[in-house]
Amino acid sequence: MTFRLAFLIDPIPADDPRTDFAGTISPIDPDAPALSVSDLSSNRGDGIFESIAVVDGHPQETGAHLQRLAHSARLSDLPEPHTAQLRAAVEAAAAQCPPGECTIRLLLSRGVQHGGPGQGIHGPTIWLTAAQAPDNTAARENGIKVVTLDRGYDSGAAARAPWLLLGAKTLSYAVNMAALREARRRGADDAIFVTSDGYVLEAPTATLILRRGDTFLTPEPTGGLLQGTTQLSAFDWLEENGHPTGYEHIPTAALYDADAAWLVSSTRLAAALTHVDGRELPVDRDLTAALNAYLLSPRD
Ligand code: PLP
């Protein structure tokens, strides 16, 4: 039987002093309709979310995910979420997850627009879902092929046009999903977005880490991409194991000369890149296995 659950969460102000959230987190049928047809998440993709991995009942890096949700809310002019309430919801959901890997998604939409455009908005709407995670063993053990895809903006876009919300994890993922379909049309498993002036950004649902010599690098998070919680955690582990890490503007050409590279994300964890644009990359199987063992251990 596949496991799924859903909670509807009554939004409370971020400074509400209560510590007991009973009555504000309601289990709902994950298969029954729950959102208004006027909710701005479905009408405009206007909202933010987080995907949190659960391993054997332990939600991974809840604090980092809730911090990023608050950051996305600030960038998107959404009300600041009540972190302790959302943590309680995540913990209640994780406690019901079966052994193995599950994914919790926490979603916050601007709310419901009564009476159409220009009218008042009642919101936000907050809900959570949990389900068994897909089996990612093949990507973790055998690696993946990627192609680079032009993201259509240059490396100055995030600073020049903050309204593009490039550092926020918004619900508008149609472009990211289109990029994954394009990658598959080109015979690859995944894509890496690059800027129009030739710098590496990120994958549609993952962060890039590459190794140059003994140093592990990831693109500067200020340059129009989402800062990954898995990358942050992986860098802590790499540093503890004596490997220097750093943030850089990475030219696309540097990908082809990397000594190894990975896409990392909360659910798939670390997948080594075997090919970039058809060119083979060296794969460090031992390090990939050790990194994934760490990422599967309980992390806070
Ligand atoms: N970049 C994008 C665009 C993403 O959607 C994600 C996760 O879904 C990531 C990076 C990786 O983030 P995390 O490691 O927190 O899952």
Side-chain angles (χ1 to χ4, degrees):
M1 244 207 8
T2 46
F3 161 79
R4 289 168 67 235
L5 68 69
F7 295 158
L8 202 54
I9 300 170
D10 269 347
I12 56 175
D15 59 359
D16 188 307
R18 83 182 86 168
T19 53
D20 178 357
F21 304 103
T24 71
I25 301 169
S26 312
I28 54 172
D29 178 350
D31 293 315
L35 296 182
S36 161
V37 291
S38 301
D39 196 277
L40 289 166
S41 56
S42 54
N43 282 266
R44 300 227 190 260
D46 193 355
I48 55 176
F49 77 106
E50 283 296 322
S51 292
I52 303 174
V54 180
V55 181
D56 292 333
H58 184 275
Q60 303 281 54
E61 300 280 358
T62 308
H65 282 286
L66 292 177
Q67 259 179 34
R68 189 171 61 187
L69 189 78
H71 178 67
S72 298
R74 273 193 297 279
L75 291 177
S76 310
D77 303 315
L78 285 161
E80 188 184 336
H82 194 294
T83 301
Q85 181 198 30
L86 298 190
R87 180 181 283 277
V90 168
E91 284 169 359
Q96 293 187 46
C97 286
E101 293 177 55
C102 288
T103 307
I104 289 177
R105 283 163 63 83
L106 194 50
L107 304 103
L108 189 156
S109 113
R110 195 171 303 278
V112 177
Q113 183 140 44
H114 293 292
Q119 305 290 303
I121 296 170
H122 175 74
T125 316
I126 312 179
W127 70 106
L128 174 155
T129 64
Q132 246 139 2
D135 182 1
N136 284 298
T137 316
R140 289 176 196 164
E141 291 184 358
N142 307 330
I144 52 172
K145 295 179 183 168
V146 300
V147 287
T148 55
L149 294 180
D150 188 344
R151 187 71 177 82
Y153 54 73
D154 66 43
S155 46
R160 207 171 54 239
W163 48 88
L164 294 179
L165 305 180
L166 295 177
K169 194 166 168 69
T170 73
L171 286 172
S172 311
Y173 260 48
V175 167
N176 303 44
M177 297 299 107
L180 283 179
R181 290 194 298 276
E182 179 61 23
R184 287 179 191 135
R185 271 195 290 274
R186 296 186 188 195
D189 305 298
D190 211 324
I192 294 182
F193 285 130
V194 297
T195 62
S196 52
D197 53 345
Y199 290 91
V200 176
L201 288 166
E202 61 185 341
T205 65
T207 311
L208 173 78
I209 296 178
L210 62 81
R211 182 161 71 77
R212 198 169 57 207
D214 193 36
T215 304
F216 291 77
L217 298 170
T218 196
E220 283 274 4
T222 49
L225 53 88
L226 192 72
Q227 172 123 49
T229 62
T230 317
Q231 170 267 311
L232 282 170
S233 193
F235 270 26
D236 286 347
W237 179 80
L238 288 164
E239 289 279 347
E240 274 165 28
N241 286 281
H243 303 289
T245 61
Y247 295 86
E248 277 188 12
H249 286 297
I250 301 174
T252 309
L255 258 182
Y256 307 133
D257 301 332
D259 293 312
W262 297 264
L263 289 185
V264 300
S265 61
S266 298
T267 306
R268 192 172 51 188
L269 306 183
L273 305 192
T274 62
H275 296 78
V276 179
D277 293 335
R279 300 174 213 209
E280 214 170 322
L281 276 195
V283 171
D284 187 337
R285 291 183 79 90
D286 291 345
L287 189 104
T288 308
L291 177 56
N292 277 324
Y294 161 70
L295 293 172
L296 282 168
S297 67
R299 289 178 290 128
D300 287 311

